[in-house]
Amino acid sequence: MSIGLVLEGGAMRGLYTAGVLDVFLENNIKVDGIIGVSAGVLFGVNYLSKQKGRAIRYNKKFAKDKRYMGMRSFLTTGNIINKDFAYYEIPTKLDIFDEETFEKSDTDFWATVTNIETGEAEYIKLEKPIDQMEVLRATSAMPIVSEIIEIDGKKYLDGGVSDSIPVEKCKSMGYDKIIVVLTRTIEYRKKKASSTLAKIKYKEYPKLIETMENRYKKYNETVEKIIDMENKKEIFVIRPSKDLKIKRIEKDVDKLQAMYDLGVSDCKKQLEDLKEYIGE
């Protein structure tokens, strides 16, 4: 029996996922494949490197550091999450990512990205996260406030634009059991967002604009599918039990900790049901 794991993004809401995955590590919950989006990838890689607590640790430590994220970074570099500091200095110098342990894992890990020329989702397999750091940047490159990331001649932005919760992709890969970790409560549905800025900034990429305009519809349809699959016991879902109103670029360390703690507590409450679902 093979187990797939889907990790939704959501910027700092992703610390919920970090909490869930740390409980997985504590209880030796293993999966055969992971498909992540944005923060689901950035924080999810620590699950395969077996670095419990790393995601919450460095985010709390650097949340208020001007080098990490915010308007200063956006105005000076074009990226609201600072490329050099967040993606390169932290994992290689300040809070070192254990790439060796990641590589030894026999779990496949795919990062979801959006091809801005086609408007479609693509899934790039992560073998060496440090060497493939531009893939991690691409999956989490929020539109408007991030530069376009070019990899092998293709141009990408945040995977959440085209496939926010890639449960159908995971299902198509043939996994017998699928665990889905969401970062929104069951009541949440996206509303149609203004596309004015996108039409100006991405006027050369009409398919991207179309995908962005329809994102809310696809997201809401996916949520309804997930609820239906969950009710039919086809998948196992872990989602926030309450809305903590955390910002995408949250700098309040207490709120970051609260989001992480909610992931821990929600996962622990569902742990026995999860073990039963995956046959442990």
Side-chain angles (χ1 to χ4, degrees):
M1 184 185 72
S2 59
I3 303 170
L5 174 63
V6 178
L7 305 176
E8 184 181 10
M12 288 303 158
R13 290 198 317 276
L15 286 172
Y16 178 86
T17 302
V20 170
L21 295 180
D22 280 354
V23 175
F24 280 21
L25 285 173
E26 287 177 348
N27 292 274
N28 202 31
I29 302 294
K30 295 180 180 179
V31 301
D32 300 286
I34 302 170
I35 306 180
V37 183
S38 193
V41 176
L42 299 185
F43 302 155
V45 292
N46 297 295
Y47 168 53
L48 295 192
S49 67
K50 298 182 179 180
Q51 289 176 282
K52 179 179 175 289
R54 179 174 178 269
I56 184 63
R57 181 176 63 238
Y58 76 74
N59 274 288
K60 286 177 66 177
K61 184 174 182 178
F62 300 113
K64 296 181 180 180
D65 193 313
K66 293 179 180 178
R67 297 171 295 173
Y68 187 34
M69 61 184 181
M71 286 306 298
R72 179 178 177 180
S73 176
F74 176 60
L75 293 173
T76 57
T77 71
N79 293 298
I80 200 159
I81 307 294
N82 188 275
K83 170 187 174 180
D84 295 331
F85 187 76
Y87 291 94
Y88 287 94
E89 192 167 347
I90 289 177
T92 63
K93 296 179 182 178
L94 302 178
D95 198 321
I96 296 173
F97 176 72
D98 187 349
E99 188 160 66
E100 183 178 352
T101 298
F102 181 97
E103 289 178 40
K104 288 179 181 177
S105 171
D106 55 4
T107 300
D108 295 326
F109 199 129
W110 286 273
T112 308
V113 294
T114 299
N115 184 316
I116 68 170
E117 294 176 317
T118 66
E120 299 291 328
E122 294 182 12
Y123 309 88
I124 301 176
K125 191 173 182 180
L126 286 176
E127 307 276 4
K128 297 182 178 183
I130 297 296
D131 291 348
Q132 294 176 279
M133 193 57 71
E134 292 304 288
V135 176
L136 275 72
R137 287 188 64 219
T139 189
S140 57
M142 291 182 279
I144 309 298
V145 293
S146 305
E147 292 180 319
I148 293 167
I149 311 298
E150 190 165 329
I151 302 171
D152 296 332
K154 293 183 178 182
K155 298 176 180 178
Y156 297 115
L157 282 174
D158 195 322
V161 174
S162 54
D163 196 358
S164 296
I165 314 170
V167 66
E168 288 295 333
K169 178 64 178 178
C170 189
K171 188 178 178 181
S172 75
M173 289 177 161
Y175 292 105
D176 302 302
K177 301 281 187 175
I178 297 175
I179 305 166
V180 181
V181 181
L182 304 178
T183 59
R184 293 283 196 182
T185 62
I186 195 168
E187 299 85 8
Y188 178 80
R189 299 295 182 276
K190 279 194 184 299
K191 296 178 181 178
K192 186 175 183 178
S194 172
S195 59
T196 303
L197 281 176
K199 287 179 177 177
I200 295 170
K201 185 160 186 173
Y202 305 119
K203 60 184 178 181
E204 297 176 17
Y205 307 103
K207 291 183 179 178
L208 173 66
I209 294 170
E210 182 181 354
T211 298
M212 292 177 71
E213 289 181 328
N214 291 319
R215 183 186 181 188
Y216 78 103
K217 290 181 184 178
K218 183 175 180 180
Y219 182 90
N220 294 341
E221 288 170 0
T222 301
V223 168
E224 296 298 340
K225 283 182 184 177
I226 286 171
I227 292 172
D228 182 58
M229 293 169 75
E230 182 183 16
N231 289 336
K232 293 176 180 176
K233 310 296 183 183
E234 295 174 357
I235 61 175
F236 191 93
V237 182
I238 301 172
R239 60 168 68 82
S241 56
K242 55 185 175 182
D243 184 1
L244 295 184
K245 306 293 184 183
I246 191 171
K247 297 175 184 175
R248 291 181 68 83
I249 306 298
E250 183 63 68
K251 293 178 179 288
D252 186 326
V253 295
D254 291 333
K255 290 183 178 180
L256 298 180
Q257 185 69 55
M259 197 72 196
Y260 173 84
D261 290 344
L262 184 64
V264 170
S265 62
D266 284 350
C267 187
K268 285 183 175 179
K269 288 174 184 175
Q270 293 180 257
L271 194 57
E272 293 308 311
D273 290 338
L274 173 61
K275 288 180 178 178
E276 183 180 349
Y277 173 76
I278 62 177
E280 286 199 1

